[in-house]
Amino acid sequence: MEELIKKYEERRAALLAQSEASNDVEELRGLQKQIQDLNADIEELKKVKPTDERTATVNDAAEKRDADSQKFVQGKGFVPAENRNVDYSKILETREKAGQDLKEKRAVKSPLGIFGELRAVTVGDGASIIVPKSYSSTINPEFNVVSSLIDNVAYLSLNGGESFSQGYVDEVPTGDYTAEGANAATADTKFAYAQINKSKITAYSEVTEELLKLPNANYADVVFENIRKAMRRKITQQILLGGGNTNQLVGIFSDKATAIDSSTDLALATIDDTTLDEIVFRYGGDEDVESPAVLILSKEDLLEFAKVRTSTTLRYYTISSNGNTGTINGVPFIINSACQSLTKAGTAAGAYCMAYGHLTNYQLVEFSPMEVKTSEDYKFQEGMTAYRGNVFCGGNVVKKNGFLRITKKN
């Protein structure tokens, strides 16, 4: 226990030294939060009795607090860990049966969930699909085509449901002076509801009959992962672009996202050394500067942030990237190709280009698990096997002005 306390104290000292040397407001805010968390941990540990049982209890409590926090974690976003507690290693134990069912033309509920991250799938030695060169026996994957936005918004499984309503506070009135004997000022809190309706997402794929020669588990992996990836690609785009009509998700950029007041949209003409401050400080209510949320943008606009220079030609923004996610001066970002580029000449005035907010302010609801059906009838002569997958889901913004939307200025 003493060693753990010493480790935390050393970490706190390092953060204090870093804060003293920093002049960046956003960095200082983040460092201060980390120091406060460490102080709380140290105080808690000092109260612990030197028994294994008590130590385990404190450690469990600290882990739960971290899991419940709204701190952005690469690849996990602001979603508490319990919303992403799918044990895929255990689920994939059912691959063998799923593969056999597919080969026998039975509809199969996919053991790979449509939402949540998933480890890479290995397909045997690849020899039954692609004849390997003498120097390689693997199949190289394509570049990533699915934004991790889908894995970082709030998620709810409601299998069998048709719709879901999420209430939120729309307005909190202000009290007022009242004369003696007069009625009290009315201050009823106003509530509103975000409606999430069921939409059907499908994907269709054809593969050669040679795929059937794979072992059942690998066969299921190939079929499910290909279908799953296609549907996830559509859903992660629709989180932004969904029109909100019948059989459509309500996207953040849609006028059907009634939780967002369009008058709060921020119009920008370019990306310069004040852009990030404009976005961060205009988000949220009038009384607080919110903790760093997530900026959703295109790869082209991320490049424009990287191009901004100081008067001494140094980079103005410090960008740390890790594939689809990263930070700009400590502010988390996620790349999504559904965003139009603010700086591209062909982007129309008024087009939505970025969104900034806490990702849990968007709710995805899964109304059914992914189902895949098999058929050999359509292209029997060509020896092709067809697969059709479908999933029912919906989504909407569920907090008043939960996202600041950035448009291209005239």
Side-chain angles (χ1 to χ4, degrees):
M1 184 61 63
E2 292 179 356
E3 292 180 0
L4 185 57
I5 292 175
K6 182 179 179 181
K7 181 179 178 181
Y8 280 18
E9 289 176 337
E10 290 175 350
R11 175 60 178 159
R12 180 177 60 183
L15 291 173
L16 286 169
Q18 185 178 349
S19 65
E20 291 174 357
S22 174
N23 294 319
D24 184 273
V25 175
E26 293 299 325
E27 182 182 17
L28 287 171
R29 186 182 294 113
L31 291 171
Q32 183 62 31
K33 179 63 169 62
Q34 294 181 58
I35 292 171
Q36 292 175 352
D37 290 344
L38 282 172
N39 286 337
D41 288 339
I42 291 171
E43 290 302 315
E44 190 173 18
L45 289 172
K46 286 181 177 179
K47 299 176 184 178
V48 179
K49 296 180 181 180
T51 66
D52 292 340
E53 181 180 357
R54 178 58 178 158
T55 300
T57 301
V58 172
N59 288 342
D60 289 344
E63 289 177 3
K64 185 178 187 304
R65 187 185 65 249
D66 290 342
D68 291 340
S69 72
Q70 291 293 296
K71 182 178 179 182
F72 182 84
V73 179
Q74 295 288 10
K76 295 182 180 178
F78 290 98
V79 182
E82 64 267 24
N83 288 356
R84 290 287 182 264
N85 63 353
V86 183
D87 185 353
Y88 287 106
S89 62
K90 189 172 183 179
I91 289 178
L92 289 178
E93 293 176 0
T94 63
R95 297 182 305 164
E96 187 75 25
K97 183 179 185 304
Q100 184 62 39
D101 287 342
L102 281 173
K103 289 179 178 180
E104 294 176 2
K105 311 298 184 299
R106 288 193 290 268
V108 180
K109 294 292 191 299
S110 171
L112 311 187
I114 193 72
F115 304 114
E117 296 175 282
L118 185 64
R119 62 178 177 80
V121 174
T122 301
V123 187
D125 62 0
S128 58
I129 303 178
I130 295 177
V131 178
K133 301 292 185 181
S134 59
Y135 52 82
S136 176
S137 60
T138 61
I139 302 172
N140 292 330
E142 77 283 14
F143 287 113
N144 177 40
V145 295
V146 181
S147 171
S148 60
L149 181 61
I150 187 175
D151 295 321
N152 290 291
V153 296
Y155 162 73
L156 174 67
S157 178
L158 195 63
N159 288 337
E162 292 290 328
S163 64
F164 176 78
S165 294
Q166 176 63 58
Y168 60 89
V169 176
D170 185 58
E171 182 184 350
V172 178
T174 304
D176 203 354
Y177 293 114
T178 303
E180 184 176 354
N183 292 333
T186 301
D188 292 330
T189 298
K190 296 181 181 179
F191 298 92
Y193 293 87
Q195 186 70 18
I196 301 175
N197 295 319
K198 185 168 71 172
S199 303
K200 184 178 182 179
I201 306 291
T202 62
Y204 176 83
S205 176
E206 298 172 359
V207 297
T208 63
E209 60 188 357
E210 279 74 22
L211 187 66
L212 288 167
K213 299 176 183 178
L214 283 174
N216 287 338
N218 290 336
Y219 175 80
D221 285 346
V222 173
V223 173
F224 288 133
E225 181 60 13
N226 288 344
I227 296 293
R228 178 180 185 268
K229 186 180 295 182
M231 290 194 287
R232 280 166 54 82
R233 186 178 185 182
K234 179 66 174 181
I235 294 170
T236 198
Q237 292 173 346
Q238 292 301 292
I239 291 173
L240 292 173
L241 303 181
N245 298 317
T246 302
N247 200 40
Q248 292 182 343
L249 276 71
V250 180
I252 294 170
F253 292 157
S254 172
D255 58 3
K256 299 292 179 63
T258 54
I260 300 178
D261 184 351
S262 61
S263 66
T264 64
D265 293 346
L266 174 64
L268 296 175
T270 187
I271 293 175
D272 56 27
D273 56 1
T274 66
T275 299
L276 195 60
D277 287 338
E278 285 282 342
I279 294 171
V280 170
F281 286 98
R282 288 183 183 275
Y283 175 65
D286 297 333
E287 306 297 337
D288 290 325
V289 175
E290 297 291 324
S291 59
V294 177
L295 181 64
I296 309 167
L297 77 171
S298 66
K299 188 176 180 180
E300 291 90 343
D301 282 347
L302 180 61
L303 174 60
E304 292 303 315
F305 274 105
K307 288 181 178 179
V308 179
R309 294 292 187 268
T310 66
S311 58
T312 57
T313 71
L314 297 175
R315 280 191 174 187
Y316 185 83
Y317 293 107
T318 300
I319 298 176
S320 174
S321 60
N322 180 24
N324 186 244
T325 63
T327 58
I328 306 172
N329 282 10
V331 175
F333 71 79
I334 285 181
I335 297 171
N336 193 307
S337 61
C339 294
Q340 297 192 54
S341 174
L342 181 75
T343 54
K344 194 173 182 179
T347 302
Y352 287 111
C353 300
M354 304 181 205
Y356 179 77
H358 294 296
L359 299 185
T360 50
N361 294 339
Y362 191 91
Q363 178 77 61
L364 268 180
V365 178
E366 184 181 31
F367 293 107
S368 78
M370 185 176 84
E371 183 181 72
V372 179
K373 293 183 179 180
T374 309
S375 173
E376 291 181 345
D377 299 333
Y378 176 50
K379 291 192 175 182
F380 177 77
Q381 186 176 7
E382 300 174 29
M384 300 292 289
T385 302
Y387 304 95
R388 188 188 70 202
N390 66 74
V391 67
F392 290 92
C393 63
N396 202 343
V397 178
V398 293
K399 182 172 181 177
K400 180 69 173 179
N401 293 327
F403 291 90
L404 174 68
R405 303 181 297 194
I406 293 87
T407 64
K408 184 166 183 177
K409 193 174 185 179
N410 291 325

Coordinates of all heavy atoms in Angstrom, one line a residue, residues 59-97:
N59 N -9.5 -0.9 -4.4 CA -9.1 -0.9 -5.8 C -10.3 -1.1 -6.7 O -10.4 -0.5 -7.7 CB -8.1 -2.1 -6.0 CG -6.7 -1.8 -5.5 OD1 -6.4 -0.7 -5.2 ND2 -6.0 -2.9 -5.3
D60 N -11.3 -1.9 -6.2 CA -12.5 -2.1 -7.0 C -13.3 -0.8 -7.1 O -13.8 -0.5 -8.1 CB -13.4 -3.2 -6.3 CG -12.8 -4.6 -6.5 OD1 -11.9 -4.7 -7.3 OD2 -13.2 -5.5 -5.8
A61 N -13.3 -0.1 -6.0 CA -14.0 1.2 -6.0 C -13.4 2.2 -6.9 O -14.0 3.0 -7.6 CB -14.1 1.8 -4.5
A62 N -12.0 2.3 -6.9 CA -11.3 3.2 -7.8 C -11.5 2.8 -9.3 O -11.7 3.7 -10.1 CB -9.8 3.1 -7.5
E63 N -11.5 1.5 -9.5 CA -11.8 1.1 -10.9 C -13.2 1.5 -11.4 O -13.4 1.9 -12.5 CB -11.6 -0.4 -11.0 CG -10.1 -0.8 -10.9 CD -9.9 -2.3 -11.0 OE1 -10.9 -3.0 -11.2 OE2 -8.8 -2.8 -10.8
K64 N -14.2 1.3 -10.5 CA -15.6 1.6 -10.8 C -15.7 3.1 -11.1 O -16.4 3.5 -12.0 CB -16.5 1.2 -9.7 CG -18.0 1.4 -10.1 CD -18.9 0.9 -9.0 CE -20.4 1.0 -9.5 NZ -20.7 2.3 -9.9
R65 N -15.0 3.9 -10.2 CA -15.1 5.4 -10.4 C -14.5 5.8 -11.8 O -15.1 6.6 -12.5 CB -14.4 6.1 -9.3 CG -14.6 7.6 -9.4 CD -13.8 8.4 -8.3 NE -12.4 8.2 -8.6 CZ -11.5 7.6 -7.9 NH1 -12.0 7.0 -6.8 NH2 -10.3 7.5 -8.2
D66 N -13.4 5.2 -12.1 CA -12.8 5.5 -13.4 C -13.7 5.0 -14.5 O -13.8 5.7 -15.6 CB -11.5 4.7 -13.5 CG -10.4 5.3 -12.6 OD1 -10.6 6.5 -12.2 OD2 -9.4 4.7 -12.3
A67 N -14.4 3.9 -14.4 CA -15.3 3.4 -15.4 C -16.5 4.3 -15.6 O -17.0 4.4 -16.7 CB -15.7 1.9 -15.1
D68 N -16.9 4.8 -14.5 CA -18.1 5.7 -14.6 C -17.8 7.1 -15.0 O -18.7 7.9 -15.2 CB -18.8 5.7 -13.2 CG -19.5 4.3 -12.9 OD1 -19.6 3.6 -13.9 OD2 -19.7 4.0 -11.7
S69 N -16.6 7.5 -15.0 CA -16.2 8.9 -15.3 C -16.5 9.2 -16.8 O -16.7 8.3 -17.6 CB -14.7 9.1 -15.0 OG -13.9 8.5 -16.0
Q70 N -16.6 10.5 -17.1 CA -16.8 10.9 -18.4 C -15.6 11.3 -19.1 O -15.6 12.0 -20.2 CB -17.8 12.1 -18.4 CG -19.2 11.8 -17.9 CD -19.9 10.9 -18.9 OE1 -20.1 11.2 -20.1 NE2 -20.2 9.6 -18.5
K71 N -14.4 10.8 -18.6 CA -13.1 11.1 -19.3 C -13.0 10.3 -20.6 O -13.4 9.2 -20.7 CB -12.0 10.7 -18.4 CG -10.6 11.0 -18.9 CD -9.5 10.6 -17.9 CE -8.1 10.9 -18.5 NZ -7.1 10.5 -17.6
F72 N -12.6 11.0 -21.6 CA -12.5 10.4 -22.9 C -11.3 9.4 -22.9 O -10.2 9.7 -22.5 CB -12.3 11.4 -24.0 CG -12.2 10.8 -25.4 CD1 -13.3 10.6 -26.1 CD2 -11.0 10.6 -26.0 CE1 -13.3 10.1 -27.4 CE2 -10.9 10.0 -27.2 CZ -12.0 9.8 -28.0
V73 N -11.6 8.2 -23.4 CA -10.5 7.2 -23.5 C -10.5 6.8 -25.0 O -11.5 6.5 -25.6 CB -10.9 5.9 -22.6 CG1 -9.8 4.9 -22.8 CG2 -11.0 6.3 -21.2
Q74 N -9.2 6.7 -25.5 CA -9.1 6.4 -27.0 C -9.8 5.1 -27.3 O -9.6 4.1 -26.6 CB -7.6 6.3 -27.3 CG -6.9 7.6 -27.3 CD -7.3 8.6 -28.3 OE1 -8.2 8.3 -29.1 NE2 -6.5 9.6 -28.5
G75 N -10.7 5.1 -28.2 CA -11.4 3.9 -28.6 C -12.6 3.6 -27.8 O -13.3 2.6 -28.1
K76 N -12.8 4.3 -26.7 CA -14.0 4.0 -25.8 C -14.9 5.2 -25.7 O -16.0 5.1 -25.3 CB -13.5 3.5 -24.4 CG -12.8 2.2 -24.5 CD -12.4 1.7 -23.1 CE -11.6 0.4 -23.2 NZ -11.2 0.0 -21.8
G77 N -14.3 6.4 -25.9 CA -15.1 7.6 -25.8 C -15.5 7.9 -24.4 O -14.9 7.6 -23.4
F78 N -16.7 8.5 -24.2 CA -17.2 8.9 -22.9 C -18.2 7.8 -22.3 O -18.8 8.0 -21.3 CB -18.0 10.2 -23.0 CG -17.1 11.4 -23.2 CD1 -16.9 11.9 -24.5 CD2 -16.4 12.0 -22.2 CE1 -16.1 13.0 -24.7 CE2 -15.6 13.0 -22.3 CZ -15.4 13.6 -23.6
V79 N -18.4 6.7 -23.1 CA -19.3 5.7 -22.6 C -18.8 4.9 -21.5 O -17.7 4.4 -21.5 CB -19.6 4.8 -23.8 CG1 -20.7 3.7 -23.4 CG2 -20.1 5.6 -25.0
P80 N -19.5 4.8 -20.3 CA -19.1 4.0 -19.2 C -18.8 2.6 -19.6 O -19.4 2.1 -20.5 CB -20.3 4.1 -18.2 CG -20.9 5.4 -18.6 CD -20.8 5.5 -20.1
A81 N -17.9 2.0 -19.0 CA -17.4 0.6 -19.4 C -18.5 -0.4 -19.4 O -18.5 -1.3 -20.2 CB -16.3 0.2 -18.4
E82 N -19.5 -0.2 -18.5 CA -20.5 -1.3 -18.4 C -21.4 -1.3 -19.7 O -22.1 -2.3 -20.0 CB -21.5 -1.1 -17.2 CG -22.3 0.2 -17.2 CD -21.5 1.3 -16.5 OE1 -20.3 1.2 -16.3 OE2 -22.2 2.2 -16.0
N83 N -21.4 -0.2 -20.5 CA -22.1 -0.2 -21.8 C -21.3 -0.9 -22.9 O -21.8 -1.0 -24.0 CB -22.4 1.2 -22.2 CG -23.5 1.8 -21.3 OD1 -24.0 1.2 -20.5 ND2 -23.8 3.1 -21.5
R84 N -20.1 -1.3 -22.6 CA -19.3 -1.9 -23.6 C -18.6 -3.2 -23.1 O -17.5 -3.6 -23.4 CB -18.1 -1.0 -24.0 CG -18.6 0.3 -24.8 CD -19.0 -0.1 -26.2 NE -19.4 1.0 -27.0 CZ -20.7 1.4 -27.1 NH1 -21.6 0.7 -26.5 NH2 -21.0 2.4 -27.9
N85 N -19.4 -3.9 -22.1 CA -18.8 -5.0 -21.5 C -19.1 -6.3 -22.2 O -19.3 -7.4 -21.6 CB -19.3 -5.1 -20.0 CG -20.8 -5.3 -20.0 OD1 -21.5 -5.3 -21.0 ND2 -21.3 -5.5 -18.8
V86 N -19.1 -6.3 -23.5 CA -19.3 -7.5 -24.3 C -18.0 -8.3 -24.3 O -17.0 -7.9 -24.8 CB -19.7 -7.2 -25.7 CG1 -20.0 -8.4 -26.5 CG2 -20.9 -6.3 -25.7
D87 N -18.1 -9.6 -23.9 CA -16.9 -10.4 -23.8 C -16.9 -11.2 -25.2 O -17.4 -12.3 -25.3 CB -17.0 -11.4 -22.7 CG -15.7 -12.3 -22.5 OD1 -14.9 -12.2 -23.4 OD2 -15.6 -13.0 -21.5
Y88 N -16.2 -10.6 -26.1 CA -16.2 -11.2 -27.5 C -15.4 -12.6 -27.5 O -15.7 -13.5 -28.3 CB -15.6 -10.3 -28.5 CG -16.5 -9.1 -28.8 CD1 -16.2 -7.9 -28.3 CD2 -17.6 -9.3 -29.6 CE1 -17.1 -6.8 -28.6 CE2 -18.5 -8.3 -29.9 CZ -18.2 -7.1 -29.4 OH -19.0 -6.0 -29.7
S89 N -14.4 -12.7 -26.6 CA -13.7 -14.0 -26.6 C -14.7 -15.1 -26.2 O -14.5 -16.3 -26.7 CB -12.5 -13.9 -25.6 OG -13.0 -13.7 -24.3
K90 N -15.6 -14.8 -25.3 CA -16.6 -15.8 -24.9 C -17.6 -16.0 -26.0 O -18.1 -17.2 -26.3 CB -17.2 -15.4 -23.6 CG -18.1 -16.5 -23.0 CD -18.5 -16.1 -21.6 CE -19.3 -17.2 -20.9 NZ -19.7 -16.8 -19.6
I91 N -18.1 -14.9 -26.6 CA -19.1 -15.0 -27.6 C -18.6 -15.8 -28.8 O -19.4 -16.6 -29.4 CB -19.5 -13.6 -28.1 CG1 -20.4 -12.9 -27.0 CG2 -20.4 -13.7 -29.4 CD1 -20.8 -11.5 -27.4
L92 N -17.3 -15.7 -29.2 CA -16.8 -16.3 -30.4 C -16.7 -17.8 -30.2 O -16.4 -18.6 -31.1 CB -15.5 -15.7 -30.7 CG -15.6 -14.3 -31.3 CD1 -14.2 -13.8 -31.6 CD2 -16.4 -14.3 -32.6
E93 N -17.0 -18.3 -29.0 CA -17.0 -19.8 -28.8 C -18.1 -20.4 -29.5 O -18.2 -21.6 -29.8 CB -17.1 -20.1 -27.3 CG -15.9 -19.7 -26.5 CD -16.1 -19.9 -25.0 OE1 -17.2 -20.4 -24.6 OE2 -15.2 -19.6 -24.2
T94 N -19.1 -19.6 -29.9 CA -20.3 -20.1 -30.7 C -20.1 -20.1 -32.2 O -21.0 -20.4 -32.9 CB -21.5 -19.3 -30.3 OG1 -21.3 -17.9 -30.8 CG2 -21.8 -19.3 -28.8
R95 N -18.9 -19.7 -32.6 CA -18.6 -19.6 -34.1 C -18.9 -20.9 -34.8 O -19.4 -21.0 -35.9 CB -17.2 -19.1 -34.3 CG -16.9 -17.8 -33.8 CD -15.5 -17.4 -34.1 NE -14.5 -18.4 -33.6 CZ -13.3 -18.5 -34.0 NH1 -12.8 -17.7 -34.9 NH2 -12.5 -19.4 -33.5
E96 N -18.4 -22.0 -34.1 CA -18.5 -23.3 -34.8 C -19.9 -23.7 -35.2 O -20.2 -24.0 -36.3 CB -18.0 -24.4 -33.8 CG -17.8 -25.8 -34.4 CD -16.7 -25.9 -35.4 OE1 -15.7 -25.1 -35.3 OE2 -16.8 -26.8 -36.3
K97 N -20.9 -23.5 -34.2 CA -22.3 -23.8 -34.5 C -22.8 -22.8 -35.5 O -23.6 -23.2 -36.4 CB -23.1 -23.7 -33.2 CG -24.6 -24.1 -33.4 CD -25.3 -24.1 -32.1 CE -26.8 -24.6 -32.3 NZ -27.5 -23.8 -33.3

